[in-house]
Structure formats: C-alpha cells, structure tokens
Amino acid sequence: MPEFRRIVQGGRLVGDEKIKSPEVVYENTLKYIEDAYTLLVKGKGIPSPESILSEFIYTLKTQGPEMVVLAHRPPSSAFMAIHSVSVSIIACCIGLLRKLSESSIAELGVAAFFHYCGIALESKDEAKFAQMKEKCIKGVEKLDLVSGMTPKIKKFVREHHERIGPELYPTEKTEGDMEPETRILIVADTYCSLILSSDTERCVHPHKALMHLLEKNKLPFDADILKTLIEIVGIYPVGTCVELNNGEIGRVVRPRFGFPMRPLIEVISGPTGISLSRTQTRDLFESPVIHIRRVVEEREKTQ
C-alpha cells in the first residue's frame, strides 16, 4: 500500500525530469480517472493514483490559478471524469490555502478523484432517491479495488454521499464532527455540480453559482470553507463578463489566489463600447486604481 503522505513531500517524486504544463497534468489526470471508473464498473483492480496525484498536487502548488481555469472547462462526453477532475482541483486548492497537512491534501485528492463512486454506478431511474442513496453509500466499498485505498479516504466519500439530496446538494449541516476533508469535498462538489452538467442547458454561470452558494440559509455549508473557495475562484470567477471603472468591458480569464477582487481580465471593448481589434489583458493586481464596477449580463453584450 503506497504512503500517500510521501506523494506531496518535496513537491515531486524523485525521477521527474521536468515540470509539466497544467494542460498536460489536467489531461493525464482526466485519463487516469476515466480509465479508473471503467475498471470500477467492470469490477477490476485499479492502479494506484500515486504518480498522477504527485504531479497533480505539485502543479496545484506551483500553477494553481491556471489549474482553476481548467476546472471551469465546459463538460464533454467524458462528463464524469471531467467533473471529478474539476472537483479535485477546487478541493485540493482549498486544502492548500487552508494549510491542511500534506497527507490530508493527498487523501483529499484521492477522495475527490473517486467521489463519484456509487453515484456513477447506479441508475437514478431504477428506484426512489432514498433507495439509490443507500446503494451509493454501499457502493463506496467498491473503492477497495483501488490500489492503496484507505478506510479514511472511503470515509470522506461515504460522508459526502450521506449528505447529498436529490439535486446532489447537501441536505444537512456540514459542520460539527464531520472531517474537514469531507466538508471541503462537499463545497467543491456542489460548486462544480452547478457550473458543470452533462446537460449544458442546466449549467449555471460560475458567478451565479457562487452567489447561489453564498445565499443565507440556502444550503448548509461550512462558512469558513466557502470563504476559502472565494479566495480561490474569486468574487468574479473565470468566464464572468465585467465592466471596469474605466469603462472597459472584459471577461475574467484567470483568478489570483488571495485577491478575489483582482483577477486577470481579457478586455473585450474599450470605454466607447467599440470592440478591440487586438486582444488585450489587464491584470487588476498590477492596476490598483482600476476595479470591477459590475457584472455585465449576457443580454447586455448582444445589445
């Protein structure tokens, strides 16, 4: 059984020759999860995620904002794997900013890789939700097929399943005795469930998804973890169209961790409203006198 603690100590495993780009790490992780779920359905053994997790967490440490951008990619036919990668990115970034131990971040990463277990293996049309939920919880035992799986990681996934409702959002408070890794997993999964859907018409814009999570008494989340989520994705997440106080209109293309009001903006049009002939970017962290005035709705861009 591999020691997941060792995975993130020192950044990378000995023998890595070069730092891989976020896109390559994303695709490698996506391929591993997609193959793993295929094997899970067939009841076959799954290789340890050790090497994949190593490069994944190292890339989050060194290029976290770029990975968060990839977490907002529109879903495709490989929805289950894409959703799992996005949840893993958001969850592990939350863990890193909250200074969880290295072993906890690694275990959280594995739990996020496989948090769809049970849900993915059962059809929602076969029985009532309560019956399906019970099957999902029991389905967590299938994670023993993953090399290096531990009872603690399975506990995170099981606790996540125990609190989901018919819309896959939590129905009970996520504070108290629940493990912090589970609380992080629930927040990350709910955010990603809103912005990513196999039915593209059901996808919620990231800014609206964040506002949905922040509405008081809407969903029983851990408030401190929600604050950390904002530190990662920003008040205006990737893809949000905004108006700056200088009159420019732009789209958020990358967050800046710890500065939720200071993302990188791709300018779409100048103060006069005329579209730019050449792409320009504006880093609000480097431009302290410029700030976001408001969100521009989609209907405004077509007027």
Side-chain angles (χ1 to χ4, degrees), residues 6-17:
R6 182 172 67 88
I7 291 174
V8 291
Q9 290 180 340
R12 292 178 293 169
L13 294 176
V14 176
D16 283 354
E17 296 180 355

Side-chain angles (χ1 to χ4, degrees), residues 27 37 49 59 65 69 76 85 118 133 160 185 188 223 237-238 248 252 257 263 283:
E27 292 297 335
Y37 274 112
T59 307
V69 172
S76 65
V85 176
K133 183 173 179 177
H160 164 270
L185 182 60
V238 173
E248 293 176 338
V252 176
F257 287 3
D283 190 340

Side-chain angles (χ1 to χ4, degrees), residues 14 35 43-44 55 65 87 113 116 147 180 195 209 248 278 294:
V14 176
D35 290 346
K44 296 183 177 181
E55 67 177 20
V87 172
F113 282 3
Y116 227 88
S147 177
I195 67 172
E248 293 176 338
R278 298 176 61 184
R294 67 185 182 94

Side-chain angles (χ1 to χ4, degrees), residues 58-82:
Y58 179 78
T59 307
L60 292 179
K61 285 183 172 183
T62 57
Q63 302 177 81
E66 289 79 6
M67 290 290 280
V68 169
V69 172
L70 296 175
H72 290 76
R73 273 186 175 179
S76 65
S77 56
F79 169 73
M80 185 168 58
I82 290 173

Side-chain angles (χ1 to χ4, degrees), residues 11-296:
R12 292 178 293 169
L13 294 176
V14 176
D16 283 354
E17 296 180 355
K18 62 180 180 180
I19 298 174
K20 296 177 181 177
S21 71
E23 290 79 9
V24 170
V25 173
Y26 177 94
E27 292 297 335
N28 288 347
T29 308
L30 183 67
K31 182 67 165 58
Y32 170 81
I33 294 176
E34 195 171 6
D35 290 346
Y37 274 112
T38 299
L39 292 171
L40 205 60
V41 170
K42 295 179 179 179
K44 296 183 177 181
I46 299 168
S48 169
E50 183 174 5
S51 61
I52 289 292
L53 190 64
S54 172
E55 67 177 20
F56 180 79
I57 294 179
Y58 179 78
T59 307
L60 292 179
K61 285 183 172 183
T62 57
Q63 302 177 81
E66 289 79 6
M67 290 290 280
V68 169
V69 172
L70 296 175
H72 290 76
R73 273 186 175 179
S76 65
S77 56
F79 169 73
M80 185 168 58
I82 290 173
H83 175 80
S84 296
V85 176
S86 295
V87 172
S88 303
I89 291 171
I90 300 298
C92 288
C93 282
I94 292 175
L96 287 167
L97 261 65
R98 294 186 66 80
K99 301 186 184 303
L100 265 61
S101 69
E102 293 178 338
S103 60
S104 292
I105 292 171
E107 290 167 335
L108 175 60
V110 177
F113 282 3
F114 294 103
H115 80 282
Y116 227 88
C117 179
I119 296 175
L121 300 177
E122 303 295 339
S123 170
K124 295 183 182 180
D125 297 328
E126 290 182 355
K128 295 180 180 179
F129 173 75
Q131 295 173 325
M132 186 207 76
K133 183 173 179 177
E134 183 178 355
K135 290 181 180 179
C136 289
I137 294 171
K138 291 181 179 179
V140 174
E141 296 307 315
K142 293 181 180 291
L143 290 180
D144 285 331
L145 292 168
V146 181
S147 177
M149 184 54 59
T150 67
K152 189 174 183 181
I153 295 172
K154 287 165 57 179
K155 180 183 179 183
F156 300 156
V157 179
R158 184 180 298 106
E159 286 183 334
H160 164 270
H161 285 354
E162 287 172 349
R163 282 160 176 77
I164 61 173
E167 298 299 323
L168 301 185
Y169 306 146
T171 57
E172 304 173 27
K173 288 187 176 181
T174 60
E175 299 177 350
D177 296 333
M178 187 186 299
E179 297 285 353
E181 293 89 344
T182 303
R183 287 183 269 135
I184 291 172
L185 182 60
I186 288 174
V187 169
D189 181 46
T190 305
Y191 176 73
C192 292
S193 293
L194 287 167
I195 67 172
L196 304 172
S197 173
S198 54
D199 180 358
T200 55
E201 293 185 358
R202 295 185 60 188
C203 292
V204 178
H205 190 281
H207 178 70
K208 291 183 178 180
L210 192 61
M211 295 303 103
H212 182 76
L213 267 63
L214 292 173
E215 289 179 10
K216 290 184 178 180
N217 301 321
K218 188 72 174 181
L219 295 171
F221 294 114
D222 183 309
D224 288 337
I225 292 176
L226 275 179
K227 291 178 183 177
T228 309
L229 174 66
I230 294 172
E231 292 291 306
I232 291 167
V233 302
I235 293 293
Y236 308 98
V238 173
T240 305
C241 193
V242 296
E243 179 185 348
L244 305 180
N245 64 323
N246 64 359
E248 293 176 338
I249 302 295
R251 181 178 292 104
V252 176
V253 293
R254 191 184 68 208
R256 180 176 285 274
F257 287 3
F259 297 89
M261 301 286 286
R262 294 284 167 185
L264 180 68
I265 305 291
E266 180 182 76
V267 180
I268 299 173
S269 63
T272 60
I274 299 176
S275 298
L276 302 182
S277 57
R278 298 176 61 184
T279 301
Q280 296 182 15
T281 58
R282 190 175 293 283
D283 190 340
L284 298 190
F285 184 76
E286 302 292 341
S287 307
V289 298
I290 299 177
H291 62 265
I292 294 173
R293 178 182 292 162
R294 67 185 182 94
V295 173
V296 176

